[in-house]
Amino acid sequence: MLHTQLPLMDSTASVMDPTVSVILVPDPTLKLKKSPSWIKFILGFFLLAIVVTAIVVPIVLTTGSPPQTPPYTTMTTTFTSTTTMATTFPPSANNDRIECYPFKNMVEENCTASGCLWDSVNGYPNCYLPDSSVYGYEVNGSVTNIPNNKGFSVDLRRRRSADGTPLFSLYGNDVDEITFEVNYHTDNSLGMAFYPKGANRDQLRPPVAITVPSATISNQRYEAKLVNTGIGEPFNFQIIRKRSRVVIFDTSMGGLTVSKQFLMISTTLPSEYLYGFGENTHDTFLHDMNYRMWPIFTRDISPIDEDVNLYGAHPFYMVCENDGSSHGVFFYNSHSIDVTTMPNPGITLRTIGGMLEFFVFLGPEPESVVKQYSDVIGRTFMPPYFALGFQLSRWGYKNTGEIQQVIDRTRAVQIPHDIQYADIDYMDGRRDFTIDPVNFGDLPALVDEVKKGGLRFVIILDPAIANDYETYERGVALSVYAEWANETLKPDDQPTENNIIIGNVWPDNKTAFPDFFRDSTKQWWTEEIRLFYERLKFDALWIDMNEVANFDTNQYSDKLYCPPNQWDDPPYETMAAHTGPTNRLSDKTICMVAKFGEKNDERLNYEVHNLYGYSQSIVTQEAARQVLTGKRSMILSRSTFAGSGKYTGHWLGDNFSNWKNMADSIIGMMEFNMFGMPYIGADICGFVLNTTEELCERWMEIGAFYPFSRNHNVKDAIDQDPGVWPDTVAASGRKALNIRYRLLPYLYTLFYDSHTTGSTVVRPLYHEFSQDRKARSIDKQFMWGPALLISPVLQEGKVSVDVYIPEDVWYDYYTGIRVTVLGSTTLSAPRDHINLHLRGGYILPAQKPDLNTMLSRQNNFELLVPLNDQNSASGKMFWDDGESVNTIEDGLYQINKFELSNNVLTITVEKESASSWPGIVQKLDTIEFMGWPSPPLKITVQSNVAEDIIIIDSDKYFYVAESKRLTLLYEFDMNQSYTVKFE
């Protein structure tokens, strides 16, 4: 195939306009080629010395102590306003360097010739920008206040040299005049944006549904201010927390850039406690601040130990300030983004289009930050109850009989099992909406049979559609596929009969890619799902490969090749491109010059690539709920964006069967809860490579506490469903899963809170103990809500675990005995044991476990009541039918509230639901108190529907003095309120 240099597309031209101009950006590295030979010799010798030093010095350094991050100090700075002084970080010669050309091999000559500064210091950027007094923007007008105390705006222009001309440009096409606008949304949140003066901001924003908070400003918790307001003075902006006077956002480092295809901003941070950004494999939950760069660009990449982006795009971060207050920042942009941490501490954000627009959330509690973020991006979907059960899957089932064997093997070892999956093996030629007639022709019958006992079934669907069968042809008729932006960009080997972009994914033939931004695609996708449901009665849908993935792009002559152009090869390379197989943005996906959207609202893939999985999730959830009439169903998507949690859950992708990936899953879970996606988990026992018996046993234990709990592995690997090892993996897994199923009412209630308030389900210790500096860095333990601490073994061969137990009241889940050693300690952890602790002061609803949720939901309830030092506790339980759509919106549910204080337990039906709600049939028959000080002399019960006070027989409760555990056995009607007194 002949690849010709095609005309570039100017960013101001229509994507359909083939008459475009070529924009050339000067390459500083070209200056070296024009140097005289003696200069080349000297520079060559100099470069050789650098290389030798780079090799020798690290070898020497490894024999000593690791380099230490410079100590952080604070200083008090006086501002021009009349407010009190604020705390910020002083500038540093090394710690706040903003690198000029991250991916170019710069030397001093071409660095300084480009306008940047050069200073060779090992471990720091050598070629970096001057500060904001030289590079960036300056004030170019008066501040305009937005009415009703809702913010302000000011015009800016690029910094000028002495002769009045703009200073140098990094990547060309800088916008000379821009507007900076700040919007006060609520007392605890604000927004800010930089955009070309006079531009339509909506055209620069991603097509993502958000809700801009709006409330009367009455007790504003922040101050947003320009440090300089005089015409011609450097632009510097700060956000200050009023209560503490801590500066939480500060652009004084400089680096502000707004151009057509390169935008950059840097901010100092009030502490080094930085979390968030994704989706990446982070080594630690707390970020490395030593000039670590992370890309944000959705890619079909497994969780490898490299600084690459994985499947999702989440440009959101949180910072814990030194006093324990927290804030969060959402970068509202869907282009490729690079994040660089800085040791001063600070961050630099670079992107290649759109707008620098941010939402800032003041918290101050970590959970409040996440809730405020959810106010903007939307709150998580309410999962059906069965989706909280244990799930089994693998890629590589050879036929329906093998699926049946796994189901039988799981039943035989008494492992709870709620969902069985079928991967692409079930398809005919790996084509969506087909069934292999030879090996899986009897799959629909199996599904019908197993569902009678309460097992649910999930099938996989990939977005790429083979171009050789009816589904494809129906899509062509409705114009549902992504197309080339214009004919001049279309390679010669692409089909001539239409403009559809054709690639290669799993099907044997070529594939097209549905455009889920189009209404016609929504109709087509829904109809294809409906037609397939008539053949196979699935319960939920798993959507994979939707970054969108394409195999071997730009690598081979018979695969998709993207012609050179300014979108697939932007002036700023991006780390995503830099780490790709051919160093292009389109590697492993489709070309950036594909177009998406309705005819009058088309956007390049360059703009919306990160939204492919997001857009497919929305359409797939709508389709599933329409096809499964009245059922909320569940969608599981590999690729996600900010706001995806409204529509889908997520798994952490094609992880490896090793101990590190198991440990990393905790970080991934905590981050995705921060991102508003609490239905999250990793492939238990690992996906890639063969697991081991010990690894799988430990992974089943931790996996029992993933919100999304699924064992899944790769084709040709050994079987790893727990029944393979009945005496070890199955025994330990059964023990852990029975605890999970017992606590499902508590987990379901946490999801209700997340759905209605935006709180996390899995959370780090930092969220509950933000003033505890040690807790801020814990990432080998996690919590379910505020009340359950989970401390798994994450190392091979270990039968103990080092844990951190924060200062509070805690009880061992298994014994009910109060923990006496707090802080860092070591706990026994035999192979069949995962350490669990209940936090005093909380009441957890529970239910007797069973082999699936259809059965367990019929069992009676329990309460676990660990007391705090005031001998009090409180909690609640949310309950509905577990499956119908919109039960919360329609009032078809109830909430039971529990409160213990002064030796009186009150049980209240707090929510009187719609008249069509039948109430709860099951009884509450067991209440277990931990930390009860002494055996009660008498226990009485009074219902709100009866005047009589009942004295409970002494054989209905018993007390264990050694553990201070009181157990009450009495049947309470869950539809009535009660007062229980202990004397």
Side-chain angles (χ1 to χ4, degrees):
M1 180 170 59
L2 179 64
H3 303 308
T4 56
Q5 179 72 46
L6 298 176
L8 301 179
M9 293 179 60
D10 184 79
S11 60
T12 60
S14 165
V15 295
M16 297 299 292
D17 185 2
T19 59
V20 291
S21 60
V22 176
I23 301 173
L24 298 178
V25 180
D27 184 354
T29 62
L30 295 178
K31 296 179 180 294
L32 191 59
K33 299 175 183 177
K34 300 177 182 179
S35 302
S37 59
W38 65 271
I39 293 180
K40 291 182 180 178
F41 175 80
I42 293 174
L43 288 174
F45 181 81
F46 179 66
L47 287 171
L48 177 62
I50 291 175
V51 171
V52 172
T53 302
I55 295 172
V56 174
V57 171
I59 295 174
V60 174
L61 288 177
T62 56
T63 63
S65 301
Q68 299 297 311
T69 302
Y72 298 112
T73 58
T74 59
M75 65 176 290
T76 303
T77 305
T78 304
F79 298 104
T80 55
S81 68
T82 58
T83 57
T84 57
M85 293 183 290
T87 303
T88 186
F89 284 86
S92 164
N94 296 328
N95 289 344
D96 59 358
R97 294 184 176 185
I98 303 170
E99 190 168 11
C100 283
Y101 302 100
F103 310 112
K104 292 183 181 293
N105 186 23
M106 303 299 290
V107 295
E108 183 173 4
E109 180 186 4
N110 52 1
C111 172
T112 55
S114 72
C116 297
L117 305 177
W118 178 269
D119 181 23
S120 181
V121 180
N122 188 39
Y124 297 89
N126 295 330
C127 182
Y128 58 97
L129 282 172
D131 63 26
S132 60
S133 66
V134 178
Y135 180 91
Y137 283 80
E138 62 187 34
V139 178
N140 194 40
S142 300
V143 174
T144 301
N145 291 318
I146 298 173
N148 301 318
N149 188 33
K150 281 293 188 176
F152 64 86
S153 66
V154 63
D155 288 337
L156 310 175
R157 71 171 186 175
R158 292 177 63 203
R159 295 290 283 159
R160 265 38 179 182
S161 58
D163 62 1
T165 58
L167 293 174
F168 70 95
S169 170
L170 288 173
Y171 295 97
N173 296 302
D174 289 52
V175 180
D176 189 46
E177 294 188 349
I178 65 174
T179 297
F180 172 60
E181 184 173 318
V182 177
N183 299 103
Y184 305 150
H185 298 314
T186 70
D187 287 336
N188 288 304
S189 66
L190 68 157
M192 56 182 173
F194 303 81
Y195 53 94
K197 186 176 180 180
N200 182 341
R201 293 170 63 179
D202 288 337
Q203 293 179 351
L204 298 173
R205 290 182 170 124
V208 173
I210 63 168
T211 301
V212 177
S214 181
T216 301
I217 305 297
S218 58
N219 185 24
Q220 190 168 309
R221 309 296 174 85
Y222 53 85
E223 177 184 350
K225 58 176 289 185
L226 295 175
V227 176
N228 307 308
T229 57
I231 303 294
E233 292 187 313
F235 168 80
N236 286 320
F237 172 71
Q238 293 180 333
I239 301 173
I240 304 167
R241 188 184 294 280
K242 282 186 175 180
R243 185 191 64 195
S244 62
R245 304 307 302 160
V246 168
V247 180
I248 65 172
F249 197 95
D250 184 352
T251 67
S252 59
M253 279 193 293
L256 178 64
T257 306
V258 179
S259 70
K260 284 185 177 181
Q261 285 189 267
F262 181 71
L263 300 91
M264 178 170 68
I265 191 169
S266 296
T267 176
T268 55
L269 302 176
S271 83
E272 68 273 26
Y273 296 105
L274 172 68
Y275 313 89
F277 294 121
E279 178 182 6
N280 313 100
T281 302
H282 293 132
D283 298 326
T284 55
F285 182 52
L286 185 64
H287 285 319
D288 176 3
M289 298 302 295
N290 289 294
Y291 291 111
R292 191 82 174 263
M293 179 181 278
W294 298 99
I296 300 179
F297 185 77
T298 61
R299 274 265 173 82
D300 174 15
I301 297 180
S302 295
I304 56 179
D305 296 330
E306 296 179 18
D307 296 352
V308 296
N309 196 82
L310 308 182
Y311 314 100
H314 293 271
F316 173 75
Y317 72 85
M318 283 178 62
V319 173
C320 182
E321 299 151 32
N322 285 321
D323 67 353
S325 299
S326 295
H327 69 270
V329 177
F330 171 41
F331 183 15
Y332 184 36
N333 191 297
S334 62
H335 290 73
S336 179
I337 296 169
D338 289 340
V339 180
T340 303
T341 62
M342 307 170 74
N344 59 329
I347 56 172
T348 295
L349 299 170
R350 298 174 173 90
T351 189
I352 55 174
M355 178 168 50
L356 294 174
E357 182 168 20
F358 303 88
F359 291 86
V360 183
F361 312 102
L362 273 288
E365 301 82 12
E367 283 294 297
S368 297
V369 173
V370 176
K371 291 176 183 178
Q372 290 158 12
Y373 180 40
S374 75
D375 288 339
V376 173
I377 64 170
R379 299 195 171 113
T380 184
F381 76 102
M382 188 68 192
Y385 202 86
F386 70 79
L388 302 184
F390 179 62
Q391 308 171 36
L392 277 176
S393 176
R394 79 161 298 158
W395 174 29
Y397 291 131
K398 295 181 176 62
N399 49 54
T400 303
E402 285 201 355
I403 297 177
Q404 180 70 70
Q405 289 172 14
V406 170
I407 294 172
D408 293 343
R409 194 158 58 212
T410 305
R411 285 175 179 167
V413 292
Q414 297 289 289
I415 292 285
H417 185 194
D418 260 274
I419 299 178
Q420 178 62 50
Y421 284 74
D423 207 321
I424 57 174
D425 319 290
Y426 79 88
M427 299 177 183
D428 185 8
R430 296 174 174 177
R431 298 173 182 86
D432 279 357
F433 310 114
T434 66
I435 297 175
D436 176 354
V438 176
N439 298 303
F440 291 91
D442 52 351
L443 182 61
L446 172 68
V447 171
D448 292 342
E449 181 60 30
V450 298
K451 289 175 70 169
K452 294 176 183 177
L455 188 63
R456 309 299 181 114
F457 210 87
V458 175
I459 59 164
I460 193 171
L461 292 174
D462 290 335
I465 302 297
N467 65 347
D468 61 357
Y469 71 125
E470 296 85 352
T471 292
Y472 172 78
E473 295 300 337
R474 287 192 288 264
V476 171
L478 292 171
S479 300
V480 306
Y481 299 112
E483 299 180 345
W484 293 96
N486 61 56
E487 288 288 342
T488 66
L489 293 161
K490 184 176 172 181
D492 297 339
D493 66 340
Q494 289 282 299
T496 58
E497 66 272 14
N498 55 48
N499 209 32
I500 296 172
I501 188 166
I502 295 295
N504 302 81
V505 196
W506 286 121
D508 298 332
N509 217 323
K510 300 286 187 178
T511 57
F513 303 88
D515 175 1
F516 292 101
F517 287 103
R518 297 183 189 175
D519 287 338
S520 60
T521 309
K522 298 174 186 177
Q523 298 164 10
W524 164 81
W525 188 248
T526 300
E527 179 62 11
E528 296 300 322
I529 290 173
R530 186 192 67 78
L531 290 171
F532 192 67
Y533 184 72
E534 291 180 354
R535 298 184 62 192
L536 190 151
K537 297 299 188 286
F538 55 82
D539 296 281
L541 294 170
W542 169 24
I543 50 178
D544 194 10
M545 307 296 292
N546 55 353
E547 294 72 32
V548 59
N550 185 67
F551 294 159
D552 303 323
T553 309
N554 303 319
Q555 291 185 259
Y556 304 106
S557 60
D558 62 338
K559 304 292 183 173
L560 175 63
Y561 177 82
C562 303
N565 62 84
Q566 70 185 84
W567 310 112
D568 288 278
D569 310 285
Y572 172 70
E573 184 178 3
T574 76
M575 191 172 183
H578 188 70
T579 56
T582 71
N583 304 123
R584 303 188 70 196
L585 206 55
S586 49
D587 287 348
K588 299 178 75 70
T589 185
I590 61 175
C591 304
M592 297 298 104
V593 288
K595 63 178 180 179
F596 288 87
E598 301 291 0
K599 200 161 193 177
N600 296 322
D601 189 26
E602 292 170 332
R603 295 175 184 252
L604 290 175
N605 191 33
Y606 180 85
E607 303 173 72
V608 297
H609 165 83
N610 284 343
L611 304 180
Y612 194 93
Y614 169 86
S615 63
Q616 187 190 15
S617 298
I618 297 173
V619 175
T620 306
Q621 186 198 65
E622 291 176 357
R625 291 185 174 181
Q626 183 175 330
V627 171
L628 299 168
T629 307
K631 306 297 183 184
R632 71 184 77 149
S633 189
M634 180 267 287
I635 307 302
L636 187 69
S637 176
R638 192 169 74 171
S639 186
T640 61
F641 186 76
S644 286
K646 291 169 60 178
Y647 312 102
T648 181
H650 175 62
W651 83 106
L652 294 172
D654 296 344
N655 60 355
F656 289 80
S657 295
N658 60 47
W659 293 86
K660 183 182 186 303
N661 272 204
M662 181 171 68
D664 290 343
S665 70
I666 298 176
I667 299 170
M669 274 198 302
M670 295 190 298
E671 288 181 338
F672 268 89
N673 272 265
M674 182 190 305
F675 299 152
M677 297 197 66
Y679 191 67
I680 180 72
D683 286 343
I684 295 171
C685 301
F687 177 73
V688 180
L689 306 177
N690 287 329
T691 191
T692 66
E693 186 176 2
E694 182 188 1
L695 175 62
C696 198
E697 185 175 12
R698 288 301 193 187
W699 214 323
M700 282 293 295
E701 290 171 350
I702 181 178
F705 298 93
Y706 292 164
F708 165 62
S709 180
R710 183 184 69 166
N711 182 315
H712 178 55
N713 67 329
V714 73
K715 187 176 183 180
D716 297 327
I718 62 171
D719 290 336
Q720 64 182 36
D721 54 279
V724 172
W725 299 280
D727 298 328
T728 53
V729 177
S732 298
R734 181 172 58 248
K735 179 180 174 182
L737 285 169
N738 279 334
I739 297 171
R740 175 192 183 88
Y741 274 68
R742 185 189 186 198
L743 296 177
L744 281 185
Y746 173 62
L747 181 61
Y748 197 51
T749 301
L750 291 176
F751 269 100
Y752 164 78
D753 286 339
S754 184
H755 177 72
T756 55
T757 71
S759 58
T760 61
V761 173
V762 162
R763 64 190 62 163
L765 274 68
Y766 146 60
H767 275 219
E768 292 295 316
F769 303 95
S770 61
Q771 295 189 8
D772 183 337
R773 288 180 180 265
K774 176 71 173 178
R776 296 177 191 175
S777 61
I778 298 298
D779 55 18
K780 301 296 186 290
Q781 302 164 258
F782 60 99
M783 298 183 71
W784 269 13
L788 178 65
L789 175 62
I790 299 135
S791 306
V793 171
L794 302 170
Q795 294 176 288
E796 186 175 8
K798 294 288 188 179
V799 290
S800 64
V801 59
D802 296 330
V803 302
Y804 182 74
I805 302 180
E807 190 73 32
D808 209 331
V809 178
W810 298 93
Y811 299 87
D812 183 281
Y813 170 85
Y814 302 94
T815 67
I817 296 174
R818 180 167 174 168
V819 175
T820 56
V821 179
L822 301 177
S824 297
T825 186
T826 300
L827 302 176
S828 175
R831 283 270 294 264
D832 67 343
H833 184 80
I834 181 170
N835 278 278
L836 305 172
H837 292 90
L838 297 172
R839 186 178 177 192
Y842 294 88
I843 297 178
L844 289 74
Q847 192 171 34
K848 293 168 179 60
D850 220 313
L851 290 180
N852 59 51
T853 55
M854 185 187 80
L855 299 174
S856 68
R857 282 179 61 89
Q858 300 173 36
N859 295 336
N860 282 347
F861 293 102
E862 305 173 309
L863 293 180
L864 303 180
V865 189
L867 305 184
N868 60 19
D869 281 336
Q870 290 73 45
N871 292 331
S872 62
S874 62
K876 69 181 179 184
M877 185 183 82
F878 167 84
W879 201 252
D880 63 359
D881 71 7
E883 190 168 9
S884 296
V885 70
N886 295 330
T887 58
I888 297 170
E889 293 78 2
D890 296 339
L892 297 173
Y893 69 95
Q894 77 181 52
I895 294 174
N896 289 70
K897 185 175 181 181
F898 316 102
E899 184 148 3
L900 174 68
S901 180
N902 298 319
N903 292 332
V904 176
L905 173 67
T906 56
I907 301 174
T908 308
V909 182
E910 187 179 66
K911 173 67 178 178
E912 293 291 350
S913 302
S915 58
S916 57
W917 166 247
I920 299 176
V921 175
Q922 296 75 23
K923 307 296 184 183
L924 167 62
D925 66 8
T926 305
I927 304 178
E928 185 177 324
F929 301 90
M930 303 175 199
W932 198 269
S934 60
L937 300 175
K938 184 172 69 172
I939 302 177
T940 61
V941 175
Q942 184 175 21
S943 166
N944 68 320
V945 298
E947 295 182 1
D948 294 340
I949 298 176
I950 299 173
I951 300 176
I952 297 180
D953 293 338
S954 59
D955 63 352
K956 297 295 185 183
Y957 59 92
F958 57 91
Y959 181 77
V960 180
E962 292 79 11
S963 60
K964 295 191 174 184
R965 201 167 185 170
L966 173 65
T967 303
L968 173 61
L969 303 175
Y970 183 85
E971 281 199 354
F972 297 87
D973 187 328
M974 295 295 286
N975 304 297
Q976 297 178 20
S977 297
Y978 293 89
T979 300
V980 185
K981 294 184 178 181
F982 301 83
E983 299 178 9

